[in-house]
Amino acid sequence: MPRIALFPGSFDPVTNGHLDVVRQAVRLADRLVLAVGTHPGKTPMFTAEERLAMLEETCGPVARAAGSELRCITFADLVVAAAQREGATLLIRGLRSGADFEYEMEMAGMNATMAPEVQTVFVPAAPAVRPITATLVRQIASMGGDVSAFVPPPVAARLKAKFAAKAKA
């Protein structure tokens, strides 16, 4: 029976921090499901389709190199419900700091109560990517800053194009 892991997030945009977690997660699972959360109350910079495309483009080669299958989906309900639909028994959560740990421990406890068959696995971020957040990347890019140290090259190009289009509008 294949080991299936689900890694949820907004991925708006995909960062080198996300890629670091994916590199570790594909070593733990035969299939990694990257689940893009969509919430009607939030207005992301990239559409769900754009985020799925970025994930496929940047994480697909990493998964293939590790011999792990990659699947990218969207979900708009509970993370554990998405995990159950996908047959995932592992829920991957990246940790950058102690603050992340505190929050993620609370979520892991709630998720374990709702879906005891889904085990949360904490993956520590590499030191080089710990300060990276999608929010900071969006802010830097919106002010014309160079985000190439924080995101994969295809994502940097998409950010540059997105803000060039907004500047012309």
Side-chain angles (χ1 to χ4, degrees):
M1 188 154 154
R3 184 176 297 261
I4 302 169
L6 184 124
F7 175 26
S10 62
F11 303 106
D12 187 38
V14 178
T15 69
N16 289 341
H18 294 128
L19 203 51
D20 177 62
V21 172
V22 167
R23 280 190 189 100
Q24 296 179 67
V26 294
R27 296 171 50 208
L28 302 173
D30 302 305
R31 179 185 312 142
L32 177 61
V33 179
L34 300 178
V36 175
T38 60
H39 303 283
K42 292 190 177 183
T43 54
M45 173 181 293
F46 291 98
T47 67
E49 293 75 22
E50 289 172 318
R51 290 180 278 162
L52 289 170
M54 282 188 279
L55 287 168
E56 290 278 357
E57 184 176 16
T58 59
C59 301
V62 173
R64 285 189 292 279
S68 182
E69 179 186 338
L70 182 74
R71 178 167 155 73
C72 299
I73 65 164
T74 60
F75 74 102
D77 55 349
L78 295 172
V79 166
V80 291
Q84 290 169 327
R85 279 193 303 278
E86 293 296 320
T89 57
L90 300 174
L91 182 61
I92 304 295
R93 299 302 297 160
L95 297 177
R96 295 177 309 224
S97 67
D100 282 355
F101 179 75
E102 291 294 326
Y103 172 77
E104 293 295 344
M105 281 296 289
E106 290 175 1
M107 292 301 297
M110 298 296 281
N111 288 337
T113 299
M114 292 184 289
E117 74 282 5
V118 180
Q119 174 69 50
T120 299
V121 176
F122 296 135
V123 177
V129 299
R130 285 184 188 153
I132 301 171
T133 69
T135 301
L136 290 175
V137 167
R138 286 192 308 270
Q139 288 174 347
I140 293 166
S142 73
M143 295 179 193
D146 179 9
V147 295
S148 61
F150 312 120
V151 297
V155 176
R158 286 177 187 255
L159 282 162
K160 189 172 184 176
K162 177 105 24 199
F163 284 108
K166 284 186 178 184
K168 290 180 183 176

